[in-house]
C-alpha cells in the first residue's frame, strides 16, 4: 500500500475507524458480533472513506472485561471466529485499501492465562515473578490503599501461594511485572508474531501503567480506598520499556502505534510521542473526556462547560502541534456516545452530530470514528441493571447498593457515564435487532434503531452518515488539515469554537456553534475572507456575504480560501 503523501507518514493522513467486535455485526446468529461480520462490512467502511480499522481485542479470553483479559495472545476467541478468519480479515481489508491496527493489552493478562495459572501455584514457581506479588501485611490489612478502576481494592489474596497480587482493573486482570526481563521478551515476541501476520500497528491498552513505583506506596492522607494513579501511571521506567520495544520491534516495521494513556499533559505526552525519542506515534490523552470527572473517579460527576472543552482541545492542538501528533477522538468503547455528551441528542441530534464531525475532521491530528458515531448513535437508558453487561458498571452497582445508595441514583451515573452506552449493537437497519443479529443479541439494541441506522441514512442525502462521508472526503482533499497551522478565535466564548487552519496554499476558517441558540458572529478583521467560499456546512448554507455570520443552533461552517 502507498505510504502517504510526500514524506508525511501514512498514519497522519489516515482516518481511523474503531470496531468493538462484539457489537459490530454477527454473522452466525449466536448474538455476538464476529470477524466474519466485520469482513461482510468492509465495503461499507471503504465507502465511508476510512483508511484504518482499530479492532478491539479478539484474542482468547474468558471475557471478564470483554477481551481486555487475554488468556492466549496467539489465538482468536471462538466467539469471534478462527485464526483463519483473522488472516482473511487482514488480507480482505488490505484489498479494500484499509489497514488493520490491533488492540494489544500488555499491562495485564487474564487470570486464566497459563502464565498466571503457573505463577500462582507457589512463590518459587518459575512464572511467579511474571506478576506483582506482596506478602500479606502482619496487621491483616491490604498491601496498600489503591482502589481498582473496577471498584474494590487493587489486590487479591491468592491462597495457593499465600500472597496478594496486584490488579489495577478486575481481579481477573492481574498486572504483569515489567521489571522482569523475561516478561518483556515474551511481550516483544507477541508483538512480532502479529506484525509478521501483516497487521499495520497497535493500539496499546493502558500502556502508561506498565511501570509501578517500587514499594507500591499508599496514597498519603486518604480515607479508605482511592486511585493510586501517581504510583502506577507514567511510572519511573515506562520510557525505558517503550524505547526498548521501539528499538527491538516497532522500528523494524512500517506501522502506526497509539498508546492509551490516561493522566498525561501535553508536556508528559511529548515524552511518549516526540519523534526523536523513538517510543510511540500517538497517544490518547484523557483531559477532554474526563472534563466532567471530579476528584475521586469517573463516577464522581461534575458540571463542565464548552469553554473548558475548547480550551483543552486548543491547548493540545497548539502544544503538541510541531513536536508530536494528536489523536482526535470524542468517544470510544469506554465513553458515553459523543452526540449525547458533547452535542444534543434530543432536538438537534443531526445538527450536533454533524457539527462534532466537522470538528473531528478539521483539527490537526489523526481522527478516530467510533462505530455508530457516523450515524449519530446515542446513549441508552435500559430500565435496570439486569440489562447491563459491563463489569465496571455492574461492580459499581453492587458496591453502591451495599452502601445503601438508591437504584435511581446509581442508574443515573450509569446512564450518564457507563461504558455500555457505547456497546449496544451497531444499527444496520430497521429490522428486528437492528440487523445486527438474527439471534438474541448479547446486549440489547438501543430502541432508537428504527430511525438511526445505516440503511435509512444511506438513502437520505441529509443524514449524519452522508455528512461523515463528505467530511472524510473533504479532509483527504485538503492537506492543510494535516500540515497547516492552528489558531483559535473567541477563546472566551462559551458557545462558539472557531479556528483557522492555514498553510502556503490554503486557509480554512472553521466555525462551530456548540449551543442550541442562534448567534450573530462578527468575523475578525484579521481573517481575510476575500474569495473565501463555504466549503462545508451542516445546514445547507452555500454562500455568505459581509462579515456578520448568523449562526443557527449547532451550525458548523467551514470557509475555504485558496491562495
Ligand atoms: O481502559 C483503561 C482506562 O483507563 C479506562 O478504562 C478508565 O480507567 C475507566 O474507563 C475509567 O475509570 C482500557 C480499555 O480501553 C478498557 O476497555 C479496559 O477495560 C481497560 O483498559 C482494562 O484493560
Ligand atoms: Ca457470531
Amino acid at each position: 500500500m502507498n505510504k502517504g503523501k510526500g514524506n508525511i507518514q501514512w498514519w497522519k493522513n489516515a482516518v481511523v475507524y474503531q470496531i468493538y467486535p462484539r457489537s459490530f455485526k454477527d454473522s452466525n446468529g449466536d448474538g455476538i458480533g464476529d470477524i466474519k461480520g466485520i469482513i461482510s462490512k468492509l465495503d461499507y467502511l471503504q465507502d465511508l472513506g476510512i483508511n484504518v480499522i482499530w479492532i478491539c481485542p479478539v484474542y482468547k479470553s474468558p471475557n471478564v472485561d470483554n477481551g481486555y483479559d487475554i488468556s492466549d495472545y496467539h489465538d482468536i476467541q471462538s466467539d469471534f471466529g478462527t485464526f483463519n478468519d483473522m488472516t482473511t480479515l487482514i488480507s480482505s481489508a488490505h484489498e479494500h485499501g484499509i489497514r488493520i491496527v490491533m488492540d494489544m493489552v500488555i499491562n495485564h493478562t487474564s487470570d486464566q492465562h497459563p502464565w498466571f495459572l503457573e505463577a500462582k501455584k507457589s512463590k518459587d514457581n518459575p512464572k511467579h515473578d511474571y506478576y506483582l506479588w506482596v506478602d500479606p501485611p502482619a496487621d491483616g490489612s491490604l498491601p496498600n490503599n489503591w482502589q481498582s478502576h473496577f471498584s474494590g481494592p487493587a489486590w487479591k489474596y491468592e491462597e495457593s501461594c499465600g500472597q496478594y497480587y496486584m490488579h489495577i482493573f478486575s481481579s481477573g486482570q492481574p498486572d504483569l511485572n515489567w521489571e522482569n526481563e523475561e516478561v518483556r521478551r515474551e511481550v516483544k515476541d507477541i508483538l512480532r508474531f502479529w506484525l509478521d501476520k501483516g497487521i499495520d500497528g497497535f493500539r496499546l491498552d493502558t500502556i502508561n501503567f506498565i511501570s509501578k513505583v517500587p514499594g507500591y506506596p499508599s496514597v498519603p492522607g486518604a480515607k479508605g480506598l482511592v486511585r493510586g494513579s501517581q504510583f502506577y501511571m507514567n511510572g519511573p521506567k515506562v520510557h525505558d520499556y517503550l524505547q526498548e520495544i521501539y528499538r527491538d520491534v516497532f522500528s523494524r516495521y512500517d506501522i502506526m502505534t497509539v498508546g492509551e494513556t490516561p493522566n498525561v499533559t501535553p508536556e508528559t505526552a511529548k515524552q511518549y510521542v516526540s519523534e526523536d525519542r523513538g517510543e510511540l506515534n500517538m497517544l490518547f490523552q484523557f483531559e477532554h473526556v474526563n472534563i466532567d470527572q471530579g476528584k475521586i473517579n469517573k463516577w464522581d460527576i461534575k458540571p463542565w462547560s464548552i469553554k473548558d472543552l475548547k480550551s483543552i482541545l486548543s491547548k493540545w492542538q497548539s502544544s503538541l502541534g510541531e513536536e508530536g501528533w494528536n489523536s482526535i477522538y470524542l468517544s470510544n468503547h469506554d465513553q458515553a456516545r459523543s452526540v449525547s455528551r458533547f452535542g444534543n441528542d434530543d432536538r438537534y441530534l443531526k445538527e450536533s452530530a454533524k457539527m462534532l464531525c466537522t470538528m473531528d475532521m478539521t483539527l490537526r491530528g489523526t481522527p478516530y470514528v467510533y462505530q455508530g458515531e457516523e450515524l449519530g448513535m446515542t446513549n441508552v437508558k435500559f430500565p435496570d441493571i439486569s440489562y447491563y453487561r459491563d463489569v465496571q458498571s455492574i461492580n459499581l452497582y453492587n458496591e453502591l447498593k451495599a452502601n445503601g445508595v438508591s437504584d435511581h441514583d446509581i442508574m443515573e451515573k450509569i446512564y450518564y457515564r457507563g461504558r455500555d452506552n457505547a456497546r449496544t449493537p451497531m444499527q444496520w437497519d430497521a429490522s428486528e435487532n437492528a440487523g445486527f443479529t438474527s439471534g438474541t443479541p448479547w446486549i440489547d439494541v438501543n430502541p432508537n434503531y428504527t430511525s438511526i441506522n445505516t440503511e435509512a441514512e444511506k438513502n437520505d442525502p441529509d443524514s449524519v452518515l452522508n455528512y461523515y462521508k463528505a467530511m472524510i472526503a473533504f479532509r483527504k482533499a485538503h492537506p492543510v488539515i494535516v500540515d497547516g497551522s492552528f489558531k483559535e478565535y473567541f477563546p472566551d466564548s462559551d458557545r462558539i469554537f472557531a479556528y483557522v487552519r492555514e498553510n502556503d496554499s490554503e486557509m480554512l476558517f472553521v466555525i462551530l456553534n456548540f449551543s442550541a441558540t442562534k448567534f450573530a458572529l462578527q468575523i475578525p478583521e484579521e481573517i481575510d475572507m476575500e474569495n473565501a467560499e463555504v466549503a462545508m456546512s451542516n445546514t445547507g448554507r452555500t454562500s455568505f456575504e459581509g462579515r456578520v455570520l448568523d449562526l443557527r443552533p449547532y451550525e458548523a461552517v467551514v470557509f475555504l480560501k485558496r491562495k
Side-chain angles (χ1 to χ4, degrees):
M1 260 186 280
N2 95 52
K3 301 219 171 187
K5 292 186 191 113
N7 45 19
I8 289 188
Q9 298 95 322
W10 59 263
W11 41 266
K12 290 190 176 170
N13 287 315
V15 175
V16 182
Y17 188 89
Q18 183 193 350
I19 290 184
Y20 195 70
R22 186 161 289 269
S23 303
F24 191 62
K25 173 69 188 166
D26 175 22
S27 72
N28 62 352
D30 67 355
I32 300 174
D34 45 51
I35 295 171
K36 284 207 170 98
I38 300 174
I39 296 172
S40 74
K41 295 297 180 184
L42 286 171
D43 289 344
Y44 167 79
L45 295 173
Q46 182 177 21
D47 188 54
L48 183 58
I50 59 95
N51 316 92
V52 177
I53 291 172
W54 147 26
I55 178 172
C56 288
V58 287
Y59 319 93
K60 279 223 171 350
S61 165
N63 289 315
V64 169
D65 187 21
N66 285 355
Y68 284 91
D69 46 327
I70 301 174
S71 55
D72 183 353
Y73 288 88
H74 297 95
D75 207 353
I76 299 296
Q77 60 172 289
S78 48
D79 283 348
F80 292 155
T82 63
F83 196 85
N84 242 344
D85 293 342
M86 189 63 206
T87 315
T88 310
L89 172 61
I90 297 167
S91 56
S92 317
H94 287 169
E95 281 159 23
H96 282 79
I98 296 173
R99 297 180 203 251
I100 297 283
V101 163
M102 285 180 90
D103 211 318
M104 184 46 81
V105 190
I106 44 184
N107 172 67
H108 45 270
T109 69
S110 161
D111 65 346
Q112 301 305 307
H113 192 288
W115 298 338
F116 191 76
L117 296 177
E118 279 298 307
K120 71 176 187 182
K121 282 185 181 159
S122 73
K123 278 189 199 177
D124 42 44
N125 186 286
K127 294 278 188 285
H128 191 70
D129 196 40
Y130 271 39
Y131 295 88
L132 303 170
W133 300 96
V134 168
D135 286 328
D139 62 2
S141 62
L142 290 160
N144 67 22
N145 63 3
W146 299 358
Q147 182 187 46
S148 147
H149 286 227
F150 294 165
S151 298
W155 299 94
K156 187 177 173 195
Y157 184 67
E158 194 56 65
E159 209 69 55
S160 43
C161 62
Q163 286 185 305
Y164 281 95
Y165 67 86
M166 185 193 297
H167 60 88
I168 299 298
F169 295 92
S170 80
S171 58
Q173 294 163 296
D175 283 58
L176 281 165
N177 176 16
W178 277 68
E179 299 264 353
N180 183 341
E181 209 182 320
E182 273 295 287
V183 167
R184 303 203 300 278
R185 191 186 53 73
E186 302 258 25
V187 165
K188 288 186 275 186
D189 282 348
I190 293 165
L191 298 172
R192 280 189 209 100
F193 172 84
W194 284 104
L195 291 170
D196 291 340
K197 293 279 170 280
I199 65 162
D200 305 287
F202 291 111
R203 177 264 187 190
L204 296 150
D205 191 68
T206 52
I207 199 64
N208 62 334
F209 291 33
I210 59 180
S211 166
K212 277 81 177 171
V213 169
Y216 319 133
S218 272
V219 179
K223 272 202 217 109
L225 296 172
V226 288
R227 291 282 168 88
S229 314
Q230 70 261 44
F231 300 119
Y232 59 80
M233 294 189 194
N234 311 308
K237 292 193 180 160
V238 67
H239 297 293
D240 295 343
Y241 298 153
L242 286 175
Q243 284 168 20
E244 178 181 331
I245 289 187
Y246 180 81
R247 186 188 67 228
D248 295 351
V249 185
F250 296 158
S251 63
R252 294 160 196 252
Y253 299 83
D254 176 26
I255 54 170
M256 68 165 255
T257 54
V258 51
E260 189 209 21
T261 54
N263 277 22
V264 290
T265 63
E267 285 320 304
T268 53
K270 284 179 193 163
Q271 298 169 3
Y272 292 93
V273 298
S274 285
E275 286 181 24
D276 55 358
R277 286 180 61 92
E279 294 188 22
L280 302 170
N281 297 142
M282 288 176 262
L283 47 75
F284 291 118
Q285 58 85 14
F286 275 63
E287 270 193 82
H288 64 305
V289 290
N290 284 344
I291 192 164
D292 43 15
Q293 178 163 313
K295 288 214 169 58
I296 306 170
N297 59 33
K298 75 176 265 183
W299 304 113
D300 171 24
I301 295 158
K302 69 166 192 200
W304 62 282
S305 71
I306 299 295
K307 192 175 156 190
D308 293 343
L309 177 69
K310 292 183 348 171
S311 88
I312 293 170
L313 294 172
S314 345
K315 176 179 76 183
W316 280 89
Q317 286 289 297
S318 318
S319 46
L320 218 54
E322 303 307 320
E323 244 188 276
W325 191 249
N326 275 294
S327 309
I328 310 295
Y329 77 102
L330 291 175
S331 74
N332 59 38
H333 65 295
D334 293 333
Q335 302 292 334
R337 288 280 176 183
S338 61
V339 70
S340 301
R341 196 166 177 199
F342 301 113
N344 180 324
D345 66 5
D346 184 21
R347 190 153 161 219
Y348 296 106
L349 175 84
K350 269 190 181 181
E351 292 84 348
S352 64
K354 293 177 187 177
M355 183 275 289
L356 295 171
C357 166
T358 312
M359 180 177 87
D360 278 353
M361 295 304 155
T362 55
L363 286 176
R364 183 175 171 135
T366 297
Y368 290 74
V369 181
Y370 177 65
Q371 67 183 41
E373 198 173 17
E374 79 277 23
L375 306 176
M377 275 181 67
T378 69
N379 280 354
V380 71
K381 287 185 179 173
F382 291 132
D384 61 61
I385 193 70
S386 69
Y387 290 78
Y388 286 81
R389 299 288 175 265
D390 173 23
V391 59
Q392 188 180 42
S393 294
I394 294 168
N395 286 358
L396 175 85
Y397 179 87
N398 293 332
E399 179 184 290
L400 295 187
K401 196 77 191 163
N403 292 338
V405 181
S406 72
D407 263 59
H408 174 270
D409 291 357
I410 308 174
M411 293 316 294
E412 283 301 309
K413 288 183 189 294
I414 294 175
Y415 292 157
Y416 182 74
R417 258 205 117 177
R419 304 194 298 181
D420 282 337
N421 279 312
R423 299 178 181 185
T424 61
M426 178 72 178
Q427 296 167 197
W428 295 106
D429 59 40
S431 70
E432 206 186 344
N433 294 319
F436 162 70
T437 179
S438 57
T440 308
W442 71 277
I443 184 170
D444 278 8
V445 296
N446 189 318
N448 65 18
Y449 74 89
T450 48
S451 57
I452 303 174
N453 65 68
T454 61
E455 223 24 63
E457 296 195 26
K458 248 195 314 210
N459 304 319
D460 170 7
D462 190 39
S463 66
V464 177
L465 177 61
N466 279 315
Y467 190 81
Y468 260 87
K469 251 176 93 167
M471 228 25 255
I472 292 172
F474 180 77
R475 186 178 192 277
K476 285 191 194 156
H478 297 279
V480 62
I481 299 174
V482 176
D483 65 21
S485 60
F486 169 88
K487 182 170 183 205
E488 190 190 3
Y489 288 84
F490 312 110
D492 293 329
S493 167
D494 200 12
R495 291 155 72 182
I496 307 299
F497 190 23
Y499 46 90
V500 165
R501 306 293 321 275
E502 191 161 17
N503 66 10
D504 291 342
S505 45
E506 287 181 326
M507 186 274 289
L508 295 182
F509 180 31
V510 181
I511 301 146
L512 309 166
N513 182 359
F514 266 84
S515 77
T517 40
K518 293 194 264 179
F519 189 85
L521 181 117
Q522 175 77 43
I523 298 181
E525 282 312 316
E526 179 188 330
I527 300 177
D528 177 7
M529 295 293 283
E530 208 186 324
N531 297 325
E533 58 185 77
V534 175
M536 293 303 293
S537 152
N538 68 344
T539 57
R541 181 190 291 275
T542 52
S543 63
F544 169 71
E545 299 283 332
R547 296 197 72 92
V548 178
L549 183 62
D550 286 310
L551 291 165
R552 289 175 230 170
Y554 292 100
E555 181 162 359
V557 198
V558 181
F559 289 103
L560 164 68
K561 185 183 159 69
R562 295 193 171 84
K563 295 186 182 171

